[in-house]
Amino acid sequence: MHLTPEEHALLAGERGPATQKAMQILATLGRIYGAECMIPVSSVQIAGVSYDNLGEAGLAWLAEMASGGGRAQVFTTLNPAGMDVEDYADLGISEAFAENQRRVLDAFETMGVVTTCSCTPYLFGNLPHFGEHIAWSESSAVCYANAVLGARTNREGGPSALAAALTGRTPAYGYHLDANRRPNVHVQVNARLHDTPDFGALGKSIGDQLQSCGLNRVPYISGIEQASQENLKSFCASIATFGGIALFHMPGITPEAGLHAPPAEQITISQHTLDTAKSSLTNATPDEIDFLSLGCPHLTLREIQHIAHALAGKQVTREFWITTSRPVKGMADRMGYTEIIEAAGAKFATDTCCVVAPIKGRFKALATDSAKACYYAAAKNGFKTRLLSFDDVIAESTR
Ligand code: F3S
């Protein structure tokens, strides 16, 4: 792999041990994946922020990188942490966990990383434009950036994303290259899609089928007439979770679709397939639900506005988390939505979510509109699940 004199200097440790380690990670990755060179990135998003996932070993590595002089060279934001940084006690998070989570965030802050913790960084300023090279790691955001925004990123791990932040570079392979962005399977959707669980079920249907068809599939998805930002973030989260997909094209909706013709290999998603995927994500009865959550991926302001209107003057009867980013919550505060939602007894879980927070064993069954949240609620926390429409989750919360 060709490295510039500056990159050789970083490898030699001229900018300190943390940057040297970062460059070693990137050079190793570049060699493994056959990259010819490094390319500059304009933004980074780092996953692996919750202390629940990192543990002491992960925290020690971050602290070493911070004390070794590592400093972000480009705009860098974080994925959700294990708690609401301000109101963790209200969510039942212990002081001991909070202390460890703060140590994680302190290490990132020392490195100049913006410690806003969210999987929807594109809603508050970490918004790459078409063709821009970036290094993001949250799978739903990677898919959204590649497919919906037309930016270019591989699905980075936490360490490689941090390495990209500290050097401002990433190896030029995978989805950074035109050749790997071409669609290689045509998905014809013959089903009606209305809301976020429909799009989540579509992501599961396609993801399940493509997972058995080999690696690095880039589906060209026909038959979708329209999709809102909320639909697309739900779809991206789901197709990344169930199929490991990091890029797709949707004619009339995503910006690169027009550059390509539909591939010859075709699969079809019928209404029956979609309905089956949807029902497979529900195994809890209504009476078993003791936890509700909206905001996987993190909510837009429009969604929070909708929740506020629906909950005005009502009282929730069970634990109900509204998960979003701190900047979007700030706008909800200003618009009075927070006051209405909290008066109804629902709780904002800002900076975190129902998957990365340490809540294993606390609840029996989760109701949500998110296919991704259903998957992880079962796989990580052992909860039963109920996939409902956005409005039905709100209605269920006051039943
Ligand atoms: Fe975001 Fe947590 Fe879902 S990180 S995509 S809200 S699992």
Side-chain angles (χ1 to χ4, degrees):
M1 179 167 61
H2 171 76
L3 295 181
T4 64
E6 190 189 350
E7 287 158 357
H8 277 296
L10 297 182
L11 260 187
E14 286 185 16
R15 261 211 255 137
T19 314
Q20 180 180 34
K21 173 71 73 185
M23 200 63 206
Q24 286 168 348
I25 291 170
L26 298 179
T28 302
L29 275 176
R31 271 197 300 277
I32 291 170
Y33 289 104
E36 290 182 1
C37 61
M38 298 283 173
I39 39 170
V41 293
S42 56
S43 95
V44 172
Q45 192 262 359
I46 300 175
V49 179
S50 172
Y51 181 78
D52 200 32
N53 300 331
L54 279 172
E56 272 308 302
L59 174 55
W61 188 73
L62 290 174
E64 188 185 325
M65 296 298 272
S67 64
R71 298 295 178 269
Q73 303 299 304
V74 294
F75 187 62
T76 302
T77 60
L78 293 177
N79 218 32
M83 64 180 198
D84 185 311
V85 173
E86 294 177 7
D87 293 329
Y88 56 88
D90 200 31
L91 300 178
I93 307 294
S94 70
E95 191 54 51
F97 181 89
E99 179 54 33
N100 286 325
Q101 185 63 74
R102 274 194 294 265
R103 288 162 63 210
V104 171
L105 296 178
D106 287 348
F108 279 121
E109 201 167 307
T110 300
M111 290 188 275
V113 173
V114 178
T115 52
T116 286
C117 305
S118 177
C119 50
T120 55
Y122 44 86
L123 295 178
F124 55 83
N126 194 351
L127 178 64
H129 59 65
F130 185 88
E132 204 165 323
H133 294 278
I134 59 176
W136 286 16
S137 47
E138 157 55 33
S139 64
S140 65
V142 163
C143 192
Y144 192 95
N146 271 325
V148 181
L149 303 177
R152 296 181 169 220
T153 179
N154 290 316
R155 184 173 167 176
E156 302 292 345
S160 65
L162 179 61
L166 301 188
T167 61
R169 297 163 162 76
T170 195
Y173 72 96
Y175 297 111
H176 291 284
L177 307 180
D178 286 343
N180 299 321
R181 298 181 68 84
R182 289 189 202 115
N184 46 32
V185 58
H186 182 195
V187 179
Q188 176 63 45
V189 178
N190 297 330
R192 291 179 308 281
L193 300 159
H194 301 292
D195 50 18
T196 45
D198 287 340
F199 277 85
L202 179 66
K204 173 169 168 49
S205 304
I206 299 174
D208 284 348
Q209 292 204 31
L210 294 189
Q211 212 181 31
S212 56
C213 298
L215 293 172
N216 300 325
R217 304 297 269 181
V218 178
Y220 180 100
I221 304 167
S222 300
I224 313 283
E225 282 172 16
Q226 55 184 23
S228 67
Q229 183 180 48
E230 288 80 7
N231 296 154
L232 288 168
K233 79 178 165 68
S234 178
F235 177 70
C236 289
S238 181
I239 198 168
T241 296
F242 293 98
I245 304 295
L247 168 65
F248 63 86
H249 303 295
M250 229 177 234
I253 292 174
T254 64
E256 284 173 64
L259 304 175
H260 307 286
E265 182 186 347
Q266 182 171 327
I267 62 171
T268 301
I269 302 295
S270 66
Q271 188 67 47
H272 176 70
T273 311
L274 190 83
D275 293 343
T276 303
K278 225 167 155 178
S279 57
S280 74
L281 294 168
T282 291
N283 62 356
T285 63
D287 289 342
E288 287 178 305
I289 300 300
D290 56 356
F291 181 38
L292 304 103
S293 183
L294 289 172
C296 173
H298 273 173
L299 295 165
T300 63
L301 188 62
R302 177 164 51 184
E303 288 174 313
I304 295 174
Q305 179 189 56
H306 188 83
I307 295 168
H309 289 163
L311 282 183
K314 298 188 177 145
Q315 275 300 311
V316 307
T317 55
R318 282 160 285 181
E319 184 87 357
F320 186 11
W321 285 15
I322 310 298
T323 66
T324 193
S325 64
R326 184 69 50 189
V328 170
K329 164 78 164 30
M331 280 308 299
D333 293 350
R334 181 183 291 191
M335 294 304 297
Y337 305 148
T338 303
E339 202 178 334
I340 295 169
I341 289 168
E342 290 183 339
K347 297 173 181 175
F348 271 87
T350 313
D351 317 306
T352 187
C353 76
C354 66
V355 169
V356 298
I359 54 173
K360 189 170 187 172
R362 266 183 58 195
F363 304 104
K364 184 174 182 190
L366 168 75
T368 177
D369 72 325
S370 165
K372 175 175 179 175
C374 285
Y375 174 83
Y376 282 106
K380 180 169 182 268
N381 291 327
F383 300 160
K384 288 179 146 186
T385 56
R386 201 162 171 79
L387 182 69
L388 300 174
S389 73
F390 197 87
D391 284 329
D392 285 347
V393 172
I394 300 170
E396 189 67 30
S397 74
T398 59
R399 195 170 63 88

